[in-house]
Amino acid sequence: MRAPPLLLLLAACAPPPCATAAPTPPGWEPAADAPWCPYKVLPEGPEAGGGRLCFRSPARGFRCQAPGCAAHASAGRSLRASVLRNRSVLLQWRLGPAEARRVRAFALNCSWRGAYTRFPCERVLLGASCRDYLLPDVHDGVRYRLCLQPLPLRAEPAGAPEPAAPAECVEFAAEPAGMREIVVAMTAVGGSICVMLVVICLLVAYITENLMHPAFGRPGLRRQP
């Protein structure tokens, strides 16, 4: 019995499993039966609508390794932001099994600090199966604050409303991509200039002591009458 052409096409287009990825610590890895993360990027104005439903695959086996990545954790240690050198940020969170069963969705609020006040940047509504979210582009040198709040299940008509869990917040500032290279280059150039100045000073001292001193320091021969 031959397989349908659609199944063969999906099997050919499926990405191969990553054999070299390091395992993610327990509690941070999405469930095996959740291959997709549904989310909505909400507009700023409430009159603009509810946003468009999108899907993304979870980042399995991700490791934040220096110097290409800097990790920042919330006060409760259940939310972390991995700031990559390409100015993208991977936000990851974890929940206990009992807490995960009571969650309907996650609300992500983003803001950044300006000269005098904070400005909103992005609001996202994520499904209950989501455990990470990628911010593709952040500005250099701006202090960001990301807050994630689990939304409880809707209460039944006869039941009491489920209290909302407190939000976990993490703050970070993206380092400029070329700043580290510029600092290293300036340090190397400065060190080379210092070495050249030392060599020039030693050369001048050598010339002064060995070439010019005999000409002026040797007593002149007196003429005999």
Side-chain angles (χ1 to χ4, degrees), residues 68-69 82-90 134-142 144 172-178:
C69 178
S82 300
V83 184
L84 305 175
R85 297 185 67 180
N86 60 356
R87 297 191 305 176
S88 62
V89 178
L90 180 64
L134 181 67
L135 278 73
D137 192 12
V138 295
H139 297 285
D140 298 335
V142 175
Y144 283 87
F172 62 89
E175 181 182 355

Side-chain angles (χ1 to χ4, degrees), residues 9-34:
L9 180 61
L10 291 176
C13 296
C18 182
T20 60
T24 304
W28 296 92
E29 187 76 16
D33 57 349

Side-chain angles (χ1 to χ4, degrees), residues 32-56:
D33 57 349
W36 299 102
C37 167
Y39 68 95
K40 282 185 179 182
V41 179
L42 304 179
E44 295 183 4
E47 68 281 354
R52 186 177 62 179
L53 181 63
C54 303
F55 295 88
R56 63 179 303 270

Side-chain angles (χ1 to χ4, degrees), residues 2-217:
R2 296 182 59 185
L6 180 59
L7 295 180
L8 295 177
L9 180 61
L10 291 176
C13 296
C18 182
T20 60
T24 304
W28 296 92
E29 187 76 16
D33 57 349
W36 299 102
C37 167
Y39 68 95
K40 282 185 179 182
V41 179
L42 304 179
E44 295 183 4
E47 68 281 354
R52 186 177 62 179
L53 181 63
C54 303
F55 295 88
R56 63 179 303 270
S57 58
R60 299 182 183 275
F62 174 78
R63 287 280 186 170
C64 184
Q65 297 180 351
C69 178
H72 304 267
S74 62
R77 314 300 296 181
S78 61
L79 177 68
R80 66 181 180 185
S82 300
V83 184
L84 305 175
R85 297 185 67 180
N86 60 356
R87 297 191 305 176
S88 62
V89 178
L90 180 64
L91 193 69
Q92 295 174 295
W93 58 91
R94 59 182 174 183
L95 293 175
E99 187 180 3
R101 287 192 294 267
R102 299 193 302 266
V103 170
R104 170 174 54 91
F106 297 96
L108 174 63
N109 295 315
C110 172
S111 62
W112 59 276
R113 185 182 296 277
Y116 302 101
T117 183
R118 283 191 174 273
F119 299 92
C121 46
E122 192 171 78
R123 297 187 304 124
V124 185
L125 186 65
L126 301 113
S129 62
C130 299
R131 292 297 180 269
D132 56 39
Y133 182 72
L134 181 67
L135 278 73
D137 192 12
V138 295
H139 297 285
D140 298 335
V142 175
R143 191 72 181 177
Y144 283 87
R145 178 180 174 87
L146 299 176
C147 294
L148 185 78
Q149 183 178 18
L151 302 180
L153 294 172
R154 293 186 176 90
E156 298 180 359
E162 184 80 14
E168 285 281 338
C169 298
V170 60
E171 294 191 6
F172 62 89
E175 181 182 355
M179 184 60 66
R180 188 181 302 272
E181 288 77 6
I182 292 174
V183 171
V184 172
M186 292 180 64
T187 304
V189 172
S192 302
I193 293 175
C194 291
V195 172
M196 291 178 61
L197 290 176
V198 171
V199 172
I200 292 173
C201 292
L202 293 176
L203 183 60
V204 170
Y206 176 80
I207 293 175
T208 303
E209 292 294 330
N210 294 276
L211 298 181
M212 299 182 66
H213 183 269
F216 295 96

